[in-house]
Amino acid sequence: MKLRSRTSLSRGWLAVGAVAAVAAMTAVAAVATFTLVGTAGVEPVGKALPAQAARTSFPGLAAARGEPELTSIGASHPRRGQILQAKGPFDDRFVLEGTTFDGSAVAGAVRVTSDVSDVLELQVLAGFFDEQGHLIGTGRFVHHLGESHAHTGPPEEREQFRIPLPAALAHRAVSVTIAVPVLVNE
Amino acid sequence: MRRSSPVFTSTTLVAALVATAAVTGLAGAASAAPSTANKDAAKNVIYLLGDGMGRTHVTAGRQRFYGAGAKMVMETLPAQGHVSTYAVERNSGQPGKAGFRPNLVTDSASAATAWSSGVKTYNAALGVDAKGTVVPTLMELARQDGFRTGNVSTAEITDATPAGQMSHALARGCQGPLYSESACQDLEITGEKLPTNDVRVTPIADQIARNGTADVILGGGLSRFDTSDETALKQQGYSVLGSVADQRPATKADLAAARGEKVFGLFNKGNLTVEKTKQDNPAAPQAQEPSLPEMTRKAISLLGHNSTKGKGFYLQVEGALIDKRSHANDAAQTLAEIKAFDDSVAVALAFAKRDGNTLVVVTADHECAGFNIVEKGTFTNAEAATPPGNVDGGNTANSSSPTRPRNARDATRSSGIINGSGSADAGNFAPATFRTPDDASDVTDGSPEASLWLSYLSGNHTGADVPIYAYGPGSGQLQGSVDNTALFTIVGRALRVVR
């Protein structure tokens, strides 16, 4: 099983590089030829398929500029020592368990309650607050379950996380708000 | 999530299209597919997919609900065969081509891409081949050619099977509503991060809400969509049931009242509720979700009443929870989902018989969990202290290495029928038992007297071939054994969008 978990930190958000200025090709009319394995009377054939049938551009849809943010974190007001949960799109699919904040990291577990299946994607976003209740920085935990693997055990519904306080915020954060912006089960 | 540009164009996608070794020329031809009489052509195609439904799932459903001497509806279809389902590794060549590297156990994404686009791809890929090149789907081709299109599922509509017809994504986990690099990018395929305006890393919900691939979209997964998606849907003329902005799921009453050419109805924020739970809790809000046969009936009605220019419709229907409850090794719920799926087949078949020009295909994407029917009163390897005996002192030809004594039940692993006396033991590997119509009237589920004993090999997919059943024009091609990529050809020819 190829399992990749990592923690990344950010105050601002990771900016995805500008899209290379490749000439627009919305009118591309490439034709893919497929050779298919066919039995039961279906012979391998070459077929011309209009690639433009696949819609690949969406005018009006703004491209993502980085990792997901949730405004609900900034709107929360945890008091010293508190760990709050902010609203996210999947709050009815999990429970937070055993959350702690020792001044250097927030830790705990997300237990998925909606599916008995592998957790493909999970992101836990933590907002760190100072004594005055100001959001001073964020960190995130990212879980990604690779697909090109042989399953070696039963689906895991509980994912532990630990999100360190960014070094620049050392000794300033006194409370945390947590939210889950990304959750996908198989 | 911050978004930058109001204009969304794909660039690297195009490069990939051009770069693909398969690109050979200009298109338009398929849209002008042969109009001559074709005995395999159908006006409509209804493609029903039992996710994770292996041959034994069907047999167990038959025995549970109809009895040993009867058949499920799907088993009454005249053309019957089996489908091979293997996937390939990342960056593999296609079968018979250089660099071909099979992966013998598929996931739902790779399998959906096989029948939707006719190519083998890697597990997790949707609408792209094993090297990441976008490949058009049957639903896109049908839509382009003037067919009405529908996509129905008991899963989140962004889940692999429905998404395989109406999205193109490097990774099935890129479902939305928010982009994340981990969920959407795949550097093993692309080498470097794709710009976030590339369709292949665009959240699937964003794609579905904007590409108009399916006219009728019914299922779950409301949480994947946001207000901007609802706006985009309405701008395309969709009647949106419930409320995306308020995250209020639609109900079966909303579905019953739905009208119009384009309908978008999601009935749960996540996957739809399993049938057994709704049956056991009829007063629960979840019981207001429509069943799969109800959604199938409505989709056929909406698509059939609005066909134009002599064109028919192409409808995909997925019974997704067969797989999800098989992953959980919950035989009672698995069986109820199989029955609901078969009831949907009945709806489709009844329409096809009335219509006289509809191809109905019933199949699966892969088997899930090694579902099996074991002999009443016996035990499985999972319950045993050792595997079955492999020694015969009287005939050395029957012995091989390693030799073993006769196996025996391990009481710590087999503490009673799991839906009966052993139900309190979370570590119990014993079978679940179910009464059948052939059993005496006083026989109950979970008892040793029940005749249907069911067990699971694992909690994951297996590489077994899956059954296929078909009725109507072109169905004869599905008699025998086919690969899942051939389903693209057969259905595409029936619709006359593939030559």
Side-chain angles (χ1 to χ4, degrees):
Chain A
M1 180 179 297
K2 190 169 66 176
L3 182 64
R4 171 160 61 87
S5 295
R6 67 171 185 269
T7 301
S8 62
L9 308 173
S10 64
R11 291 192 64 187
W13 297 96
L14 186 65
V16 173
V19 176
V22 180
M25 296 184 66
T26 53
V28 163
V31 177
T33 296
F34 298 82
T35 300
L36 303 177
V37 177
T39 55
V42 179
E43 297 300 322
V45 292
K47 290 166 291 298
L49 298 175
Q52 70 269 30
R55 183 145 179 221
T56 58
S57 64
F58 307 104
L61 176 64
R65 293 179 57 191
E67 292 300 290
E69 292 182 73
L70 291 172
T71 56
S72 57
I73 286 184
S76 68
H77 302 287
R79 297 191 304 273
R80 168 179 272 275
Q82 272 191 320
I83 303 173
L84 299 182
Q85 180 181 343
K87 188 172 186 294
F90 308 111
D91 293 344
D92 56 346
R93 303 190 190 191
F94 69 91
V95 293
L96 292 174
E97 295 180 337
T99 53
T100 61
F101 177 55
D102 62 4
S104 63
V106 60
V110 172
R111 183 166 59 82
V112 176
T113 57
S114 58
D115 284 292
V116 182
S117 61
D118 284 321
V119 178
L120 299 181
E121 306 292 340
L122 171 66
Q123 196 169 120
V124 181
L125 181 59
F128 297 102
F129 292 78
D130 65 13
E131 193 73 64
Q132 288 72 43
H134 297 133
L135 178 63
I136 56 175
T138 59
R140 70 185 68 231
F141 168 86
V142 177
H143 161 88
H144 168 80
L145 184 66
E147 289 289 330
S148 58
H149 63 268
H151 289 254
T152 56
E156 181 57 71
E157 297 178 88
R158 192 172 189 271
E159 186 68 30
Q160 291 188 299
F161 66 87
R162 183 176 185 277
I163 305 171
L165 182 72
L169 306 179
H171 311 300
R172 293 174 56 197
V174 300
S175 59
V176 186
T177 295
I178 296 170
V180 173
V182 176
L183 177 60
V184 179
N185 277 77
E186 184 176 4
Chain B
M1 178 174 55
R2 292 179 184 169
R3 286 173 167 163
S4 56
S5 169
V7 178
F8 189 93
T9 57
S10 180
T11 52
T12 55
L13 157 67
V14 170
L17 275 171
V18 172
T20 178
V23 170
T24 58
L26 297 180
S31 294
S35 59
T36 55
N38 178 348
K39 66 180 176 58
D40 292 332
K43 179 180 180 183
N44 312 302
V45 174
I46 305 175
Y47 187 95
L48 300 105
L49 188 288
D51 201 307
M53 183 184 74
R55 174 64 250 189
T56 302
H57 288 76
V58 179
T59 306
R62 174 213 305 155
Q63 295 175 344
R64 164 65 166 173
F65 297 108
Y66 299 101
K71 292 181 185 298
M72 299 202 83
V73 174
M74 68 182 92
E75 294 179 290
T76 68
L77 273 58
Q80 304 195 6
H82 296 89
V83 181
S84 56
T85 65
Y86 71 91
V88 294
E89 301 290 354
R90 282 172 169 76
N91 294 307
S92 168
Q94 292 298 305
K97 301 295 183 185
F100 172 57
R101 291 183 296 127
N103 178 343
L104 300 185
V105 180
T106 189
D107 77 344
S108 294
S110 173
T113 301
W115 78 70
S116 297
S117 297
V119 296
K120 292 291 186 183
T121 194
Y122 58 92
N123 286 344
L126 289 167
V128 299
D129 69 13
K131 298 180 180 179
T133 303
V134 168
V135 284
T137 72
L138 272 177
M139 196 165 286
E140 291 169 337
L141 294 168
R143 177 79 183 128
Q144 179 177 260
D145 208 41
F147 285 87
R148 303 261 298 134
T149 50
N151 207 332
V152 174
S153 177
T154 50
E156 298 185 75
I157 206 69
T158 53
D159 199 12
T161 299
Q165 289 281 13
M166 49 185 184
S167 68
H168 303 275
L170 295 175
R172 60 181 290 181
C174 187
Q175 293 191 24
L178 303 174
Y179 164 90
S180 77
E181 180 183 324
S182 176
C184 298
Q185 299 278 357
D186 189 330
L187 301 187
E188 192 174 342
I189 293 296
T190 59
E192 58 185 15
K193 282 192 297 185
L194 296 180
T196 56
N197 64 354
D198 190 301
V199 67
R200 293 169 291 174
V201 295
T202 298
I204 292 164
D206 285 341
Q207 296 187 46
I208 291 172
R210 288 163 181 81
N211 62 23
T213 299
D215 296 311
V216 175
I217 297 172
L218 304 175
L222 189 64
S223 296
R224 302 289 174 194
F225 296 83
D226 58 23
T227 303
S228 70
D229 296 326
E230 183 168 15
T231 300
L233 286 162
K234 288 180 174 176
Q235 286 173 342
Q236 297 167 81
Y238 282 92
S239 172
V240 178
L241 311 183
S243 171
V244 179
D246 297 338
Q247 286 291 292
R248 177 171 53 81
T251 66
K252 65 170 69 176
D254 295 328
L255 181 64
R259 299 288 183 273
E261 294 188 6
K262 300 170 84 70
V263 174
F264 180 88
L266 303 184
F267 305 93
N268 194 304
K269 294 177 75 174
N271 298 319
L272 296 193
T273 304
V274 295
E275 283 300 318
K276 186 173 187 303
T277 297
K278 291 193 293 184
Q279 293 162 10
D280 294 345
N281 303 278
Q286 290 81 1
Q288 293 308 306
E289 296 173 12
S291 66
L292 188 62
E294 289 169 334
M295 291 194 293
T296 303
R297 183 176 294 107
K298 186 67 177 189
I300 291 171
S301 174
L302 289 167
L303 295 171
H305 286 157
N306 292 291
S307 61
T308 57
K309 301 176 184 175
K311 291 285 187 180
F313 65 80
Y314 175 41
L315 170 63
Q316 177 173 296
V317 176
E318 182 201 21
L321 305 181
I322 298 170
D323 177 74
K324 295 183 188 304
R325 303 323 297 162
S326 293
H327 276 291
N329 283 197
D330 189 318
Q333 293 186 343
T334 300
L335 288 168
E337 296 305 319
I338 294 167
K339 179 62 164 59
F341 178 70
D342 196 54
D343 290 345
S344 305
V345 174
V347 170
L349 184 60
F351 171 83
K353 287 181 175 177
R354 288 195 307 272
D355 175 71
N357 195 10
T358 296
L359 170 63
V360 176
V361 178
V362 182
T363 188
D365 50 357
H366 52 74
E367 200 277 343
C368 186
F371 199 37
N372 229 316
I373 301 165
V374 298
E375 185 178 357
K376 180 179 178 179
T378 64
F379 61 92
T380 65
N381 284 354
E383 302 170 79
T386 60
N390 184 25
V391 62
D392 185 345
N395 182 353
T396 55
N398 288 347
S399 301
S400 61
S401 179
T403 59
R404 291 184 299 263
R406 185 168 299 279
N407 68 333
R409 191 190 307 264
D410 182 341
T412 63
R413 298 164 63 85
S414 183
S415 53
I417 294 168
I418 199 161
N419 60 336
S421 60
S423 61
D425 180 4
N428 180 12
F429 285 92
T433 70
F434 298 89
R435 60 164 284 108
T436 75
D438 302 316
D439 288 342
S441 59
D442 61 344
V443 171
T444 59
D445 293 349
S447 70
E449 291 78 23
S451 59
L452 180 58
W453 285 46
L454 298 173
S455 70
Y456 291 94
L457 174 69
S458 75
N460 299 310
H461 299 172
T462 72
D465 287 1
V466 294
I468 189 165
Y469 311 96
Y471 170 91
S475 60
Q477 297 178 82
L478 296 167
Q479 189 80 33
S481 294
V482 297
D483 186 72
N484 56 5
T485 52
L487 301 177
F488 169 83
T489 315
I490 294 167
V491 174
R493 284 176 176 167
L495 292 169
R496 300 170 303 281
V497 298
V498 172
R499 287 185 297 205

